[in-house]
Amino acid sequence: MLSANDLYTALLEAYGEPRWWSDDPYMVLFQSVLVQNTSWTNVERTCEKIKGMIAPEIISGLADDELEAMIRPCGLPRSKARTIKDLTRWYIDADSSLATCRMRKELLAIKGIGEETADVILVYAFHRPSFIIDRYTRVLLSRLGCSFRSESEVRAFFEDGLGNDAAIYGYLHWLILDHCITRCRKKPECGSCPLSALCRKCI
Ligand code: SF4
């Protein structure tokens, strides 16, 4: 079975160093909630329209219906607005010296924050090594021939294989996303795939 490092190296060689989510940690929090059940394009378009407003002191001072109106194009405005408000309150008081597992637990206690969103926030906003496992990652691993019995085995595959470097976690998550959007789609384009030599589908 291929290693997490083989996967990272092959994707990095093929696609080059990917972008980071955002250098503004609060923007990462805000967008990680908006992107749930909608497209990234939608999130970017919405954030472009309200840029200048996306700051914890501004968002926390808005009435619920004002925030809902601002984020409506991303869908589920009522529940997302409530999550953003709760997350913003948490962020304002957050203790950045907390251990990663404790911080993850606090994030997961916020309604509307699941494991994937918590890990996005930990990696991209707080630079903590907590690997993000999403549906693209699961599909890609299965096509490559890596089988796991549980989510914790998938986590161990990446975290044991890549060490504790949050930057690598962030880059690899984005590389997997790029790869799955451009090549390893529902109908994969295996002919031009940079992973074909490693992929069970092609060997
Ligand atoms: S060879 Fe095909 S199935 Fe395998 S990773 Fe590439 S695109 Fe996906």
Side-chain angles (χ1 to χ4, degrees):
M1 183 167 96
L2 94 162
S3 70
N5 202 45
D6 291 339
L7 177 62
Y8 178 57
T9 308
L11 288 174
L12 195 62
E13 266 172 26
Y15 297 100
E17 189 174 292
R19 54 175 284 186
W20 194 249
W21 191 301
S22 166
D23 290 333
D24 172 1
Y26 184 70
M27 181 65 84
V28 174
L29 269 70
F30 191 84
Q31 293 183 327
S32 71
V33 176
L34 281 196
V35 79
Q36 294 172 1
N37 300 305
T38 193
S39 68
W40 181 245
T41 313
N42 228 357
V43 172
E44 286 193 311
R45 227 179 269 145
T46 302
C47 290
E48 182 58 30
K49 279 193 198 140
I50 58 172
K51 68 176 176 198
M53 299 284 287
I54 308 172
E57 58 282 7
I58 296 175
I59 296 295
S60 60
L62 291 175
D64 290 356
D65 57 345
E66 288 177 304
L67 181 55
E68 285 170 24
M70 279 165 55
I71 64 171
R72 196 170 305 279
C74 291
L76 304 171
R78 187 170 287 187
S79 58
K80 286 185 182 179
R82 190 194 53 224
T83 301
I84 288 170
K85 280 286 192 80
D86 291 347
L87 190 56
T88 303
R89 267 192 292 276
W90 173 83
Y91 180 70
I92 288 170
D93 295 332
D95 174 1
S96 58
S97 67
L98 276 185
T100 303
C101 58
R102 178 80 197 281
M103 203 179 259
R104 192 171 193 267
K105 224 173 168 180
E106 289 192 358
L107 285 165
L108 290 172
I110 298 170
K111 196 167 180 196
I113 303 292
E115 300 212 5
E116 186 184 328
T117 307
D119 290 328
V120 162
I121 292 170
L122 287 167
V123 169
Y124 292 106
F126 290 94
H127 299 263
R128 302 296 186 94
S130 189
F131 200 82
I132 304 154
I133 303 165
D134 61 1
R135 70 189 165 87
Y136 291 112
T137 307
R138 290 187 199 96
V139 169
L140 179 61
L141 286 176
S142 138
R143 286 177 174 173
L144 289 169
C146 306
S147 62
F148 301 97
R149 279 166 304 185
S150 65
E151 201 80 349
S152 53
E153 280 193 5
V154 179
R155 182 169 294 280
F157 169 78
F158 286 109
E159 296 189 356
D160 295 347
L162 297 170
N164 273 335
D165 189 340
I168 292 180
Y169 288 26
Y171 288 144
L172 180 52
H173 174 68
W174 216 282
L175 286 165
I176 290 174
L177 211 65
D178 270 352
H179 178 66
C180 292
I181 288 169
T182 56
R183 285 203 177 87
C184 199
R185 299 192 284 233
K186 201 167 179 185
K187 207 171 167 193
E189 291 179 14
C190 303
S192 61
C193 178
L195 299 183
S196 57
L198 303 170
C199 187
R200 188 182 59 175
K201 236 173 156 10
C202 294
I203 293 171

